[in-house]
Amino acid sequence: MSEPKKKQLRTIDAPFVAPGPSGVAIRDRLKHLTDVDDKVLRLAGAHLGRLASLDLKNRCADGLAHNSDTWAARKQGLTAGSSSRWAGSITKATHDQWALSRRCQLAHIQALEAGVRTLMHRLSQPIGQKGTKRAPGGYRSRGEWFNKSRRLATLEHRLDVARAEREAGVVHVARGGRRLINNRHNLQAAQLTAEQWRQRWEAERWFLAADGESGKRFGNETIRVTPDGEVGIRLPAPLDHLANSKHGRYVLAARVQFRHRSAEWRDRIEDNRAVAYRIHLDAERGRWYLTASWTRPAVQTVPLQTARSEGMIGVDTNADHFAAYRLDRHGNPVGDPKRFFYNLSGNADHRDAQVRHAISQLLRWADRCGVKAIGLENLDFAAEKTREKHGRRKRFRQLVSGIPTGKLKARLVSMASEHGLSIVAVDPAYTSMWGDQHWKKPLTSK
């Protein structure tokens, strides 16, 4: 008898040290605002928000025909109703939003293409044909085959429309967010009144953001924050009559005190380096916040051998916890494994807080272990969530979708850099096969 052919395995990508964060953002609440302060912020935000909406409409109308001349014309048209610096911030935000919509449009097209390929393959298989690890089989019944053929026609139509829109440069953008738009049509499910929804919708569409400028006083001429926390805003031209300071500026009664990275922020503004600011209202709580952000120069990552010299912490991401094991410099486990749990149910703020709390526990344990790096699987479930791929396995699709891969990697890299730890990205290929062959028995026995 001939020996069975061995399964052809793809080449495993080499691990690499992930680059560190490229920017910083800190936030503080604007406390003790007077009624006049609140009125001025609302008027300025609403006025600039209308200009931003108009500019986004014009940018979307330009489509792929956009160039430097149309950008200059848009900025010139906005300057008369605000100022040159406000117009620059608005047009830059518009460009970023349009570019993000284009990237999302491309991702949507790729997801549709993956769904169409899977449906076409399964529809071409005989009914009842069993699948393999490499390819799914046919559908279970003629009724399911018929329903999937109708879904294929629907996806193909959506794909044709999406491709045509991309070629024409058409994007669909909603300032304020589509979630709020959908909530308006079902206020009872969103647990909102019409007035509450209107307040949130207007607050999300306001615009009070200014880019930093190196060499200018305290790094920003439009929204200026002094080292002692005084916040001053250059009002748009139509609101100059509301100014309470020189040169059409309005100084708020609130003082900000950044608790996090305050020394780094103060060093930047005292050196007149660029700092961008954004003022926004949390309509649900009725609180105003100020966010400061700036970029960092690219930092050269440490060599992989240096990161592994003192051992590592190997981390496996699961739907409700991190599974971590300390490894020596040869990759062998040391001590007992650890689990750091999080709960990803609830709203986005709750999920984000849970992830940050679990990462904080993981980093503190890594500090106690004395390692210099954390190894993490370079996961990407972008193409693994569709019902065409996993069929009726709705629970599994929810499980995969619940693992915060993208947010986790960004959070972990950013927070680990503050602890002096490097993140080593590892190819996740065959980890289940390798673990079942080498580690399942010793780790489950006494």
Side-chain angles (χ1 to χ4, degrees), residues 158-375:
R158 293 178 184 173
L159 181 58
D160 292 339
V161 172
R163 285 173 174 171
E165 289 179 342
R166 183 165 182 81
E167 292 177 0
V170 177
V171 297
H172 301 277
V173 186
R175 289 198 69 247
R178 295 190 181 184
R179 176 175 294 180
L180 270 178
I181 291 180
N182 294 332
N183 287 344
R184 181 62 183 89
H185 302 296
N186 199 348
L187 294 175
Q188 185 175 2
Q191 298 181 351
L192 293 172
T193 64
E195 181 62 27
Q196 290 174 335
W197 179 90
R198 175 60 60 181
Q199 292 176 356
R200 295 188 186 186
W201 175 250
E202 292 177 350
E204 289 295 329
R205 290 170 63 85
W206 290 342
F207 186 92
L208 280 172
D211 298 325
E213 300 172 274
S214 293
K216 299 297 181 180
R217 189 181 180 191
F218 301 133
N220 199 312
E221 283 286 332
T222 310
I223 300 177
R224 180 182 295 165
V225 183
T226 63
D228 60 355
E230 181 184 87
V231 182
I233 304 172
R234 176 65 172 90
L235 294 176
L239 301 179
D240 277 344
H241 62 281
L242 298 175
N244 62 0
S245 185
K246 297 179 180 179
H247 309 297
R249 305 188 71 86
Y250 187 90
V251 178
L252 301 176
R255 296 294 181 102
V256 294
Q257 295 179 348
F258 294 111
R259 303 294 183 184
H260 184 53
R261 301 183 188 274
S262 59
E264 185 178 354
W265 166 77
R266 189 170 288 106
D267 290 342
R268 287 193 66 87
I269 63 173
E270 290 179 347
D271 197 28
N272 294 333
R273 288 185 287 171
V275 178
Y277 294 104
R278 175 175 175 258
I279 299 175
H280 60 282
L281 172 67
D282 186 340
E284 183 178 358
R285 298 181 178 182
R287 298 176 179 178
W288 288 93
Y289 292 92
L290 173 71
T291 301
S293 59
W294 59 89
T295 58
R296 280 180 166 180
V299 180
Q300 185 67 31
T301 57
V302 300
L304 180 60
Q305 294 301 324
T306 303
R308 298 174 55 182
S309 60
E310 300 295 332
M312 295 172 54
I313 298 294
V315 179
D316 184 29
T317 307
N318 297 280
D320 61 349
H321 71 279
F322 298 140
Y325 221 136
R326 183 182 177 184
L327 310 174
D328 62 18
R329 62 190 183 93
H330 302 291
N332 297 315
V334 178
D336 296 326
K338 297 283 185 178
R339 287 186 177 185
F340 304 96
F341 291 91
Y342 45 77
N343 181 9
L344 297 182
S345 61
N347 57 30
D349 292 338
H350 176 264
R351 296 194 300 269
D352 186 62
Q354 288 283 306
V355 170
R356 283 189 282 109
H357 178 64
I359 291 177
S360 298
Q361 291 181 309
L362 171 64
L363 295 178
R364 285 195 290 268
W365 183 57
D367 288 337
R368 292 195 298 269
C369 292
V371 299
K372 295 182 178 180
I374 294 177

Side-chain angles (χ1 to χ4, degrees), residues 384 390 392-402:
E384 303 295 327
H390 298 295
R392 292 187 175 91
R393 301 168 66 188
K394 184 176 181 180
R395 177 59 184 164
F396 179 77
R397 286 189 279 119
Q398 292 176 341
L399 179 68
V400 173
S401 299

